Structures are given as structure tokens and as C-alpha cells.
Amino acid sequence: MRLRKLLCGVSALVCFVCMPISSAAQDTTQYIDIRNPFLRKIPLAIPMFKNVNGGGAEAEYSRKAVELMSGSLDFTGYFKILDRSAFLFDPQKSGVSATDINFQNWTVVGAELLITGLFEQSGDTIQMELRLFDTFKSRQVLGKRYAGSVSELRKMVLRFCAEVIYYLTGNKGIFNSRIAFVSTGSGKKEIYTCDFDGVNPTRLTYNESISLFPACADDGQYLAYTSYKAGKPDIFIRNLNTKQETAIAQTGINITPAWVPGKFEMAATLSFSGNQEIYLLTGAGKVIKKLSSNRGSNVSPSFAPDGSRLAFVSDRSGSPQIYVLDLATGNESRLTFEGKYNTQPTWSPRGDKIAYTSQVNGFQQIFVIDAGGQSPMQLTREAGGSESASWSPDGSLIVFSTHREGPYRLYVMTAFGTDQRRLLLLNGEQTNPKWSLGVFN
């Protein structure tokens, strides 16, 4: 069996393409409600793919594709990936389409969903047919055909994972996103980025100083952060395409930048007036106006996803607490009343929750609270403490920094605090994570 060749050349490079595999049984059913705190994981079977040529290199690339798909879908927290040793299926002898599948063999091992693949590798070219099946309904619900270079294997697999999540949840998922963070692996605090799953960690700054508070613009093309490379805390705005930077170097401190959703503007804490206040700035760093009142010190802005409100920290009541500013009316209201030390607010992508850090028994812990101030819920409890929460683009996961292992590491968990696990392991300590909506070039 030969896969259809679907290659496109761009500047002599092979760029992967995707085509649908038609199926009369496809529908738009959504299986997963990501807002459900009692979400049951769906048993998912991903057998080894059927290889067209059977060569050693093809078998190895095929195995890597299956392992990547299994790990990536498992990372979402939506699935229970079934053990392949229990499958009544020989991928090299069995078919991969609905007419060739004995669905009873899959329901008997507990699979509710099934992914099959037909894989071909020839030289630098890979072609794949990938299908998602509902085993109880005995039908294909999703099918895609991909072709591209060997170097694009990860991109192709993650594209299909995104299609699976979109079909099942109605959300685009996390597979196209990256995370910015601070690491001391070089001996200094520098800004790094990694893929959503901790893969491909990349050092971004070489300031040989203290760099903190990375903030990603919606389009993934700009990164703002605070650095002491000029001797005091200033904000730098980096164009990630050209690598050029613009500095916000007002008198005093310039910290905690936060981009306005959908605009080339940001809020940040500046102290040139003497008090720490939150200002609205252009993307080039020009001050537009002051946003916070003159009561107490005001820091750590975070915008609601529609840009209408701003969460921030103020000590005006005597201790740090979370407040919300209505940008249309200028009204400020206190959000948190439980706990004496509440900081680092971050708004969920759906706008219904705010995650924050609160001190409990001497340790920092991650909480979430309704945007209206009701129902605060503690998500982390481990000794050592956790802080600096940041939501995934679809609101299903939270990345945070914790020193439960001793040094600070990045961990992820579901939006309800379950499935807490380490994101990556690097030299030094990792802090200040910020999940991007876009992709860093």
C-alpha cells in the first residue's frame, strides 16, 4: 500500500501539508467538558502504526511518532493511555481503516477511543495517515493525511494531537504554545523558553545579570521582561524575530510587565512618581496613563482576556491582597479576603477564574478564585511551597514553580490541581513561568 504523495516545496525545503481523510461517519460531537472538576479520563488505545516499507529507519521514526503522540495526549490529563501489551492487534498485519478494524477487540480491552496510523518513510520524506475512532460506535470520527520532511515529524504529530483535542473539546489545545521562564543554569538569572511539554529548552537572554518576569504578547512575536543589566530594574521589550530590544528605563523601578490582550500595549509597575503604581504603556514603552490609584503600593498587573479588567496586588489594606480594576469605570474592588499575604494574580483564558499565590503555614501555595471573588480553592499543599502560576492557552492546565524537591522546578497540573508533575529538569533553578498564547519563532 502506498500513501499519496503530498509534498510542497518552499525555497527548496519540504514543508509538511495536511489533508483530511474523508469519512461519512465524522461528526462534531464533543466528548470532554474541560470545566468539569470531576473529569473522568477517557481510555485511549494508540497501537504501533502500520509501516509501509518495513525498513529499520522507517520503523524507528514510526515508533517515535507513536511515543510522541501517546506522551503528548497523556500530558493533557484527558486520557488514560492503555498498555499496548494487552492489544489484540498486529499493526503490520491488520488494517487501519474502519472497514478493517474489529472494534470488539478494542472494547474488550477497555478502549473507548482508538488512534491508528499508516506510516511511510523514504529518505527525508515522511507520510502518515492518522485516524481517530469511537470504538463503541464503531466508526471513524477524525482522519488526516500528512506529508513532510523527517525534521517535521514532531510538528505533524502535534498537529494531529491538536485536531483530536479540538474535536473532543471544542478548544484548540496547547500543542502550538511555548512557556517562557527564568533559569539560573548559566549561573545568572536568564530568560529561557521551552515547548508546552518541556521539550526544546532554549536560552533567550545573555544579559549576565538578573532577568525576571517574562511576559509573552498574544502573537508570540514580542517578549517583555525585567532585567538589572543596566544596574537597576528596567523593562526590556524584545522583538523575537529581529532580536531588537527597547528599554523602559524610567527613574526608579520598572517591573512586572503584562501585555494588553489583542493590543501592542502593556501594563507595568513603575515608581518614577515615588510610589509603586501601575501604568499603561505603548508596546514601545511610552507611558499612556496611570491605571492604579495612589493608595498603597500597586504591582503585578494581569488583564482579563477581554481586556476590560485588571487584577493586581496592593498593600493598601495593610498586607498584600488581590484587587480588580474595572478599566471602563476606574472602580477598584478587593478580591481576596482569606489569607494575609496574597500575590501574583493571573487571569484564566476564559475569564472566570484568577489563580494567585497565598501564604499558608509559612509556605506559598497556589489558589484559584472565581473572578467575582467567591470560592477560593487551594491547589497545591506540598511542603516547600509553590508560586507563580500561569494558565495554558486553553485554560486546562497551570504551570507553576515549586521547591518541593529542594531547588525550584517548573511543574504543571490541571486547572483543578490534579496530576501535578515536573515539566522539565535543567541545571540551576527555574522560576517565573509564563505560558504563551502564540509560538516563539
Side-chain angles (χ1 to χ4, degrees):
M1 183 186 303
R2 281 278 168 185
L3 296 176
R4 184 184 307 169
K5 292 186 177 180
L6 296 167
L7 304 180
C8 64
V10 179
S11 301
L13 299 177
V14 178
C15 125
F16 89 81
V17 294
C18 164
M19 294 290 289
I21 299 174
S22 62
S23 171
Q26 288 184 344
D27 59 33
T28 57
T29 302
Q30 291 181 16
Y31 288 70
I32 302 173
D33 180 4
I34 65 175
R35 296 167 296 182
N36 181 5
F38 306 106
L39 179 70
R40 181 186 69 88
K41 293 189 177 185
I42 299 177
L44 169 63
I46 309 178
M48 300 305 292
F49 295 160
K50 184 170 187 175
N51 300 325
V52 173
N53 299 315
E58 181 181 78
E60 180 61 18
Y61 284 121
S62 179
R63 183 193 63 79
K64 288 181 179 179
V66 172
E67 295 298 336
L68 172 60
M69 183 176 295
S70 299
S72 299
L73 291 174
D74 183 56
F75 185 87
T76 67
Y78 296 145
F79 305 100
K80 175 186 177 183
I81 307 298
L82 299 180
D83 184 359
R84 293 190 194 96
S85 65
F87 296 169
L88 305 173
F89 179 78
D90 183 341
Q92 303 314 318
K93 296 180 180 179
S94 304
V96 297
S97 60
T99 55
D100 301 317
I101 293 173
N102 183 341
F103 287 100
Q104 187 175 359
N105 286 345
W106 294 107
T107 57
V108 76
V109 298
E112 297 179 17
L113 295 174
L114 165 68
I115 292 175
T116 66
L118 182 63
F119 191 96
E120 181 179 10
Q121 179 261 333
S122 178
D124 189 50
T125 301
I126 286 175
Q127 300 178 73
M128 288 186 287
E129 288 184 4
L130 301 172
R131 293 173 169 86
L132 174 69
F133 298 92
D134 181 325
T135 61
F136 286 107
K137 295 181 180 179
S138 301
R139 66 181 184 180
Q140 177 182 317
V141 295
L142 183 65
K144 296 290 179 178
R145 182 181 290 113
Y146 300 90
S149 67
V150 166
S151 64
E152 293 172 311
L153 175 63
R154 177 176 170 86
K155 186 181 294 185
M156 287 187 277
V157 171
L158 293 182
R159 177 68 66 85
F160 184 73
C161 289
E163 295 281 359
V164 170
I165 295 300
Y166 184 75
Y167 171 77
L168 295 172
T169 70
N171 287 276
K172 295 181 179 179
I174 59 175
F175 302 108
N176 205 35
S177 64
R178 287 179 65 81
I179 296 170
F181 59 96
V182 174
S183 179
T184 61
S186 67
K188 302 290 185 179
K189 291 188 175 182
E190 301 282 5
I191 308 298
Y192 288 67
T193 66
C194 67
D195 289 354
F196 73 96
D197 54 358
V199 173
N200 297 324
T202 304
R203 183 174 170 181
L204 196 64
T205 64
Y206 290 82
N207 294 328
E208 297 298 322
S209 182
I210 298 173
S211 298
L212 302 166
F213 310 124
C216 319
D218 285 359
D219 61 4
Q221 301 307 306
Y222 291 90
L223 181 86
Y225 67 97
T226 296
S227 179
Y228 285 73
K229 65 181 179 179
K232 70 179 186 70
D234 295 324
I235 293 173
F236 293 85
I237 304 163
R238 171 174 290 201
N239 183 317
L240 295 171
N241 289 326
T242 65
K243 305 300 188 292
Q244 293 181 334
E245 288 190 343
T246 301
I248 302 174
Q250 299 280 353
T251 301
I253 67 169
N254 306 272
I255 58 173
T256 62
W259 291 94
V260 179
K263 294 183 179 181
F264 190 53
E265 296 176 352
M266 71 173 65
T269 299
L270 313 179
S271 68
F272 64 85
S273 66
N275 194 43
Q276 294 183 14
E277 299 287 355
I278 297 172
Y279 291 83
L280 182 66
L281 313 169
T282 68
K286 181 180 179 181
V287 174
I288 299 173
K289 63 179 179 179
K290 184 162 70 72
L291 296 177
S292 59
S293 65
N294 293 316
R295 294 182 292 165
S297 294
N298 304 289
V299 298
S300 301
S302 175
F303 283 96
D306 63 0
S308 66
R309 291 170 291 170
L310 182 77
F312 64 98
V313 177
S314 179
D315 63 0
R316 65 187 62 175
S317 65
S319 66
Q321 298 292 339
I322 311 298
Y323 289 76
V324 173
L325 167 66
D326 186 307
L327 293 168
T329 65
N331 292 332
E332 295 175 332
S333 58
R334 181 172 168 177
L335 184 77
T336 55
F337 290 87
E338 296 184 16
K340 296 181 179 180
Y341 204 97
N342 297 314
T343 60
Q344 299 177 324
T346 177
W347 224 298
S348 73
R350 291 191 296 273
D352 58 337
K353 303 282 186 182
I354 293 174
Y356 63 99
T357 302
S358 184
Q359 195 171 91
V360 180
N361 298 324
F363 292 105
Q364 301 291 88
Q365 302 291 356
I366 305 297
F367 283 69
V368 294
I369 190 170
D370 292 345
Q374 295 78 38
S375 307
M377 180 174 65
Q378 185 174 345
L379 300 186
T380 62
R381 299 179 182 276
E382 288 74 10
S386 301
E387 59 185 36
S388 302
S390 180
W391 299 84
S392 64
D394 65 351
S396 66
L397 298 172
I398 293 173
V399 63
F400 61 100
S401 180
T402 177
H403 57 107
R404 63 186 62 175
E405 298 181 16
Y408 276 97
R409 303 291 185 207
L410 299 189
Y411 270 58
V412 291
M413 59 183 167
T414 70
F416 306 104
T418 59
D419 291 350
Q420 296 186 19
R421 68 272 196 195
R422 189 174 62 209
L423 178 68
L424 77 173
L425 182 61
L426 298 176
N427 293 331
E429 296 189 318
Q430 290 75 52
T431 56
N432 288 165
K434 185 65 176 181
W435 215 315
S436 75
L437 296 180
V439 177
F440 293 96
N441 287 334

